[in-house]
Amino acid sequence: MTIPIPDLGDLQKYFNQYKDIVFYGKGGFKIVYKMMQGAELEALKLAYIPKENTSAEIQAEYKKRITREYELLRNCNSPFLVKLGSLTLSEAIISKETFFAYSEEFLEGPTLYELVKNNYKPDEAELKILAKCIIEAIKEIWSQGQSVHRDIKTQNIKKSKIKERPFVLFDLGIAFSKIETPITINPFNIPGTRQNIAPEMFDPNFRNDIDYRSDLYTLGITLYEYATGKHPIANLGGNTMETISRIIRVIPEPIEKLRPDLSVKFSELINQWLKKKPHLRPHKFAQVLPILESKS
Amino acid sequence: MKIFAQCGYGEGQKINKGLAEELIDGVIYSPKDITSQKLREKLTELSETYPEAELLFDPQYYVSMMGKNPNLNVGKLESYTDDFFSLVSRNKLESEKNVTSDIKKVIEFQNTLPLSSKISPNILISKTFDSIEGVISKHFIRLAKEAADEVGNKGKLICTLAISTEAISNLAELQEFLSSITIIDNPPDGFYLLIGARSLAIANSELFNADVIAGWMLLNYSLNVNGFRVINGYSDLLSPFLTAAGGEGISTGWFSNLRNFSLERFAPLKQDGGSLPIIRYLSTSLLNRIRFDELNALKDRFKQILNNLGTDQFYAEEEIDRTNEILQNWDALYNISLAVSKGSTKSRIELCNNLVDNAIELYSQISPFFPLDPKSSGNHLEAIQLGLEKFSKLAEI
């Protein structure tokens, strides 16, 4: 899908209560801008709902998705999840295109993906802090209508400069709620970053069985990639079918082979979160936290 | 890891000696073979004499659904009628309210005993997880902690999980069941696993089956990974493999019905009135028991048959005391299980594979020299080997 980029002048005119709007980046169906709200930086998010060649059903799916993301962020209360900004969710027609717009706080700092690209190697203490922060975020998301983030990855976590919030998870665009009506119309069309999809999501009946252990799997993928600079499953250059096959079948190389400096218990925990079957992933926070809080 | 005496008829001095000589860590009593009053006296005595011993009570609730069996013989369970025992219908247990009520009765009774942890009840999943029994079993697991708390349980709670060999053999269904019970809110602290054969006569052929072994090991592995304590009832010769997979407790007793679990014990097809079984020696290197006369015939030529444990001395005598036989069995099982209880799961499974390979090799050396009794043979080893392989795949090791 091609997202039309609105004219910056039109954008500034439409959101005239904000200053210094500048383009920041774009994702699957969203464009992100930086802007000033008084003295505070905020991230303006424009979600594009395609009209041409798109059925009313699909359009409705996109709208529900953006609404769910917004509502989840509104209801969640965790320092390790991005917070909403001053702009509430509303429809906006800019440069003759219709968007759904809202704002989030703008967090300074690189994403883990950027750090990986720069060959940054976090130590065990930092990896444990990352795991703790994201587990807290997963817990909070689950507490909101048994929801699952489904897209935890290095691109969606920022290493922030705020001491109390060292790592912050964002982009709940494809979050799934177990108790709400499913949004995705085609159950075989699994939204998300292909190489990070939990294996159980490929089961057409996953809606009955999914729980937050799918997010622990993607946390395991993220920790592995951040620690080693290498994705545990994906094969560079592989096509979609090959990637899916690898997700279902390939047992990742144990992390200790690439990071022998990590403690045995911590390595075991990451390896265990990467297991294909959810019942093999430790999930009790009381069980996991002592490992993450130990010095070695 | 801990080894428990699976207690039943004919206890004599076995438990006291086992605890006194530190060959067992605890005892699992069950009501079929001991009256309510005698149980109370015995537990009081043991808790005072051996304060470190772990004392457990299997309420044998799974018998409750056998009311229609014409051969039903609940033994001394009848003496628990005022406490918790009654026959129930499956329909009754489809109601969560009735399940909660029955859990409470069982725990309230145990609250009056000096037990280390409480075992909450469950029914046996007799054919398949995808059944009403599977659903009821999940009710018992999901409701156990809350019900026990409501009747003032202060200690740890272990929930019974009883599965037939037929049900556990469906490894896909087992994994779905595990996925479901490992995520429940407010779960028990652990599980007391019972894997039941259809009858005691064929228990060995049912239990020494690659799918059953792999499934039982997977239960231990998955529940341990999820922070549950796992006590294996009637684990006997499979104990080392269950320990390697993550089980904390293993158990066995002195008669075949205390070594293998089967509901047939409560509805025997024929009355046992025959002679006592032949005395046997549990050889850790053969991963099996052999007859006393076989031991004597082989031990000089195949020295590795002997365990070189303190309890070997009992077999230096001409007449073996039955109490000493079970002491030797516990000693051997504990030591072989301990040997595979450390290190990563992968390394423990490798150790298990080595044990089986060595046993096969030893049997092949013995075979041309001495014909062993069928029960002493190595016929079970191939199933264990295959079971280990299947388990490794299921556990993604």
Side-chain angles (χ1 to χ4, degrees), chain A residues 211-213 251 268 272 275-284 287, chain B residues 175 178-179 182-183 187 218 221-222 224-228 394-396:
Chain A
D211 55 58
Y212 63 86
R213 289 178 291 189
I251 295 177
E268 275 176 2
Q272 210 66 34
K275 298 277 181 181
K276 311 291 180 199
K277 296 287 181 191
H279 70 85
L280 299 178
R281 299 176 202 143
H283 72 281
K284 286 187 196 164
Q287 177 196 1
Chain B
Q175 292 190 84
L178 273 169
S179 200
T182 48
I183 194 77
L218 186 68
Y221 180 67
S222 171
N224 177 53
V225 157
N226 283 286
F228 295 105
L394 292 167
E396 301 169 32

Side-chain angles (χ1 to χ4, degrees), chain A residues 212-241:
Chain A
Y212 63 86
R213 289 178 291 189
S214 298
D215 279 347
L216 291 176
Y217 173 83
T218 47
L219 170 59
I221 296 262
T222 304
L223 284 164
Y224 191 109
E225 192 177 358
Y226 189 45
T228 66
K230 182 176 174 265
H231 195 284
I233 301 288
N235 198 3
L236 279 178
N239 62 28
T240 302
M241 286 316 291

